[in-house]
Amino acid sequence: MNLFNKTVGLTLLLGLFLACGNKPNPEKEAAYQKAAAVFAADESFYPILDEELYYFTTQTLDSITPLYINEQDAVKMLMTQKTWLAFTTRNFTAKERQNLIDRKFLPRAVPIAYDGLSIIVNNSNPDSCITIKDFARILNGEVEKWSDIYPGNKLGLIDVCFDNPLSSTVRWCVDSILGGRQFSAKNIGAVKTSAAVIDYVEKHPNSLGIIGSNWLNDKRDTTNVTFKKNITVMGVSKMDSAKKYNSWKPYQYYLYNGNYPLRRTIYALLNDTRNGIPSGFTHFIQLPKGQKIILRSGLLPQTANMNVRDVIVNRE
């Protein structure tokens, strides 16, 4: 046997050996496909993600099913390989990231947009501005009545309503407003969804609701400057005293320039080992078309490619 034949023989033998060592694993394949068929997301992102999903599936003909749950369970699904994609308002923790890396995964956190944590009250409430300091005092139980903040307000007990006990809204308030301390006030409760918060606030004059800003826009207004009429969106101030001139609502421009203080980053947490449909959906949201959908929804796109113009109103 000449040298050429020996080389060919060794190459074929090596190829057969490697092929035998990489046999398909049907169970592993089935597990990947099952997890790739769904994404998990905090329920507060339902309006925007459903629209993104509609255009993604129409354009690509790929299929992925949304599961709108609370943020804590969405991350749990990602960590246990029941999905490869979760939408949250937080990055991976250092412990979560290291856990996935130790298991030979490649976790990625992709920022896709910014929203505002919105404070809403009943239309009968005479006070429509609040400071960050007073908001924190309500959450930590330091004040319980509207008159404790606004002398003369006769609505009585402040009935605080969150969307879900395990939602991104609750977690963000605990981390960013209370410095990690859990709620202790008896007047703080939760329903099940963001829509239910709006309904609750509309029906209870003394209530204060906390939801993501993408639930507030009046879809009939394409300029994104009109909020729902059945509730009042409070202006939020960084100052010691909240006045209309120093308080801001979660409009896109005020998220953009930093005036609105309760701004959150929305992340796509990916652990997709094959760059499959979950990665494809995330990439679609990052593209100009996906970012335009976010802009149209009233949120701030991650690219923030916005044109700002001064408008002079002639009152003569």
Side-chain angles (χ1 to χ4, degrees), residues 278-309:
S279 296
F281 182 45
T282 302
H283 181 62
F284 173 82
I285 297 175
Q286 292 178 283
L287 293 174
K289 186 170 185 178
Q291 292 286 286
K292 187 176 181 180
I293 293 170
I294 290 173
L295 180 67
R296 192 169 62 238
S297 76
L299 300 187
L300 180 66
Q302 193 274 331
T303 55
N305 186 19
M306 299 176 64
N307 293 319
V308 179
R309 297 181 177 90

Side-chain angles (χ1 to χ4, degrees), residues 30-192:
Y32 173 81
Q33 295 299 338
K34 184 178 180 179
V38 299
F39 70 80
D42 188 90
E43 178 273 336
S44 64
F45 304 142
Y46 163 76
I48 179 61
L49 289 180
D50 247 32
E51 188 170 359
E52 293 279 8
L53 186 60
Y54 170 79
Y55 285 101
F56 171 73
T57 54
T58 301
Q59 178 175 307
T60 65
L61 301 181
D62 288 328
S63 177
I64 185 168
T65 301
L67 182 59
Y68 296 111
I69 51 180
N70 62 72
E71 183 178 75
Q72 186 171 315
D73 286 343
V75 174
K76 187 180 297 183
M77 284 186 65
L78 185 73
M79 296 300 296
T80 55
Q81 287 75 65
K82 293 180 180 177
T83 183
W84 303 112
L85 172 61
F87 291 93
T88 69
T89 57
R90 69 170 179 84
N91 203 329
F92 288 103
T93 65
K95 185 177 180 180
E96 288 166 347
R97 184 180 297 277
Q98 192 58 51
N99 177 279
L100 292 172
I101 291 173
D102 289 344
R103 288 187 282 153
K104 310 303 180 184
F105 291 113
L106 295 172
R108 290 179 288 151
V110 182
I112 59 169
Y114 306 95
D115 83 333
L117 190 76
S118 304
I119 304 172
I120 61 176
V121 294
N122 187 274
N123 283 341
S124 66
N125 196 320
D127 297 293
S128 59
C129 299
I130 191 169
T131 66
I132 290 291
K133 181 179 178 180
D134 284 336
F135 182 46
R137 292 170 67 205
I138 292 171
L139 295 182
N140 67 24
E142 186 179 340
V143 298
E144 295 184 348
K145 296 180 180 180
W146 284 105
S147 58
D148 293 335
I149 300 175
Y150 311 102
N153 190 309
K154 299 179 180 179
L155 290 177
L157 185 72
I158 303 173
D159 186 6
V160 181
C161 182
F162 279 94
D163 49 354
N164 186 292
L166 301 178
S167 71
S168 64
T169 305
V170 170
R171 196 271 314 156
W172 195 90
C173 284
V174 168
D175 289 351
S176 301
I177 303 298
L178 299 184
R181 290 171 293 162
Q182 297 295 322
F183 303 135
S184 58
K186 295 180 180 179
N187 61 318
I188 297 178
V191 282
K192 291 184 178 180

